[in-house]
Amino acid sequence: MADGHTKPETMQETDVIELLLAQHGMIRNLFDEVEQAAPDRRAEAFTRLVRLLAVHETAEEEIVHPFARMKIEGGDGLVDDRLAEEREAKELLQHMDQAGPDDPDFTKNLLTLRAAVEAHARSEERYEFNKIIQHTSVAERRAMAAGVKAAEALAPTHPHPGTESAIKNLLVGTPVAMMDRARDVIRQALGKRP
């Protein structure tokens, strides 16, 4: 490319499913990193895992799940199942984030969290992502990817159980002025009028 970047696709050209699958891989790698980290490095690795999980789920809740509800037959039930999985994982993640990596139950809780997050990711990949591919064009998936990237940029950096909707996620820890900006950025990324 002329700008010297080796990455072949820009944000607008990224497929939302490829983006989310790549993030699932990054999440698995961060779990490995936290599990293998020396005690003095565990907190930093765990902080990065918490942030990635929080922004990833927020982006899915704001962009991907609403699309699935509207466009996929049986989408409401499919999304409700994913949100229930997310809520359980968020509650454990929030507890772990507050207790910190020095908590005596940290390793046990990390293994439980990892199993829940990986099962959730497999369910998304198998049920939701495959159906999204079947019901979208390449252009729609690229627009959704831009929306996911916009949502990630404005997502909270810590989990907030019970905030599985776009409006609730934007309210938690984010100034009210950011809500209008976030809504505009997401709508612009999805090609909608603000």
Side-chain angles (χ1 to χ4, degrees):
M1 289 178 60
D3 63 4
H5 290 102
T6 58
K7 192 172 181 180
E9 296 182 340
T10 65
M11 179 179 71
Q12 291 80 14
E13 296 170 336
T14 303
D15 182 287
V16 69
I17 302 303
E18 291 173 6
L19 175 64
L20 295 172
L21 290 173
Q23 289 175 349
H24 285 177
M26 291 173 11
I27 289 166
R28 284 190 296 274
N29 291 343
L30 276 172
F31 270 112
D32 288 343
E33 189 176 328
V34 175
E35 288 174 10
Q36 297 166 9
D40 63 327
R41 302 286 316 223
R42 187 172 289 143
E44 186 266 329
F46 183 65
T47 297
R48 287 187 286 119
L49 175 64
V50 169
R51 184 179 192 288
L52 180 57
L53 285 170
V55 299
H56 174 80
E57 293 304 329
T58 299
E60 286 180 339
E61 291 161 7
E62 292 178 0
I63 306 297
V64 178
H65 296 329
F67 182 88
R69 282 189 190 280
M70 290 185 308
K71 299 289 186 174
I72 296 172
E73 185 175 332
D76 283 333
L78 184 122
V79 170
D80 289 344
D81 290 345
R82 301 299 73 79
L83 291 176
E85 296 163 357
E86 289 173 15
R87 191 169 16 264
E88 290 175 21
K90 277 184 179 180
E91 288 170 359
L92 179 55
L93 186 62
Q94 183 179 32
H95 167 76
M96 292 175 68
D97 187 39
Q98 291 171 346
D102 294 329
D103 181 66
D105 292 329
F106 181 82
T107 301
K108 177 185 70 125
N109 288 337
L110 184 67
L111 295 174
T112 301
L113 178 66
R114 182 175 192 154
V117 167
E118 288 182 353
H120 169 70
R122 282 190 302 274
S123 293
E124 281 182 334
E125 292 168 9
R126 182 175 182 186
Y127 302 112
E128 192 171 12
F129 294 178
N130 282 334
K131 290 186 179 188
I132 286 173
I133 290 171
Q134 294 169 9
H135 292 88
T136 56
S137 67
V138 171
E140 287 173 313
R141 289 193 305 275
R142 286 179 179 166
M144 289 174 68
V148 167
K149 294 293 254 180
E152 286 178 336
L154 299 165
T157 57
H158 293 279
H160 299 285
T163 58
E164 288 80 22
S165 74
I167 293 172
K168 288 180 184 176
N169 269 316
L170 290 169
L171 285 171
V172 176
T174 307
V176 174
M178 289 293 287
M179 288 176 33
D180 287 334
R181 180 173 170 257
R183 199 174 298 118
D184 290 346
V185 168
I186 291 168
R187 286 180 180 165
Q188 182 180 15
L190 295 176
K192 296 179 181 177
R193 295 178 61 94

